[in-house]
Amino acid sequence: MENLFSPCLYLREVNAISSLGLAHMGDAVYEILVRTMLITSVDTTGAHLHQDTTNLVNASAQAQAADLLLPHLTEQEAAFYRRGRNAGVRPIPKNATHAQYSKATGLEALFGALYLLGQKDRALELFQIIME
């Protein structure tokens, strides 16, 4: 069995995955990055970890993160973002606008694509831009 912890798919394979599939993967990748950052670099108690995580992993916060990243994306990365943003996800949570949810889905699709392509260093670089 291939190493599922460190996938390294070809671009054509990643392009064959649906936008929502990329966003599904990216949601997990983004949350792992946030949780790892909180555990390793923030002085927080166990009682606050969940709240601190949900403050960063929600449509509104991810939409703001997407806005920060757009000027830093390569053409290919921007294409992954647009695929996710334009996915037409329904239903949209009550605590987010359609625009926020679309941007958040785009961000997740971007992180999902980078992870699946084996570009974890680039994903981390972009994540660090968000967290600055």
Side-chain angles (χ1 to χ4, degrees):
M1 178 176 271
E2 62 187 86
N3 184 350
L4 297 177
F5 278 116
S6 296
C8 192
L9 302 179
Y10 293 108
L11 180 59
R12 64 179 160 68
E13 294 173 304
V14 174
N15 282 335
I17 298 171
S18 73
S19 300
L20 294 180
L22 293 177
H24 180 73
M25 183 80 254
D27 178 50
V29 171
Y30 194 80
E31 185 156 344
I32 285 173
L33 290 169
V34 167
R35 287 177 179 227
T36 303
M37 179 199 67
L38 290 173
I39 291 293
T40 60
S41 65
V42 177
D43 186 24
T44 188
T45 64
H48 293 112
L49 283 173
H50 177 72
Q51 184 62 48
D52 292 345
T53 300
T54 56
N55 287 341
L56 296 170
V57 183
N58 65 64
S60 174
Q62 288 177 308
Q64 290 175 350
D67 288 338
L68 285 172
L69 284 188
L70 286 176
H72 302 278
L73 299 181
T74 67
E75 187 176 316
Q76 182 182 66
E77 292 166 348
F80 284 124
Y81 168 78
R82 284 190 305 274
R83 276 183 60 194
R85 183 196 65 202
N86 296 334
V89 178
R90 302 262 191 289
I92 295 169
K94 294 177 185 174
N95 62 347
T97 67
H98 184 317
Q100 289 172 326
Y101 201 71
S102 293
K103 288 179 180 183
T105 304
L107 181 79
E108 291 170 348
L110 169 63
F111 275 86
L114 291 173
Y115 175 76
L116 292 170
L117 288 167
Q119 297 179 14
K120 292 180 284 210
D121 289 341
R122 179 62 174 156
L124 184 57
E125 181 181 332
L126 293 175
F127 183 75
Q128 289 169 335
I129 291 170
I130 294 167
M131 292 301 141
E132 286 179 349

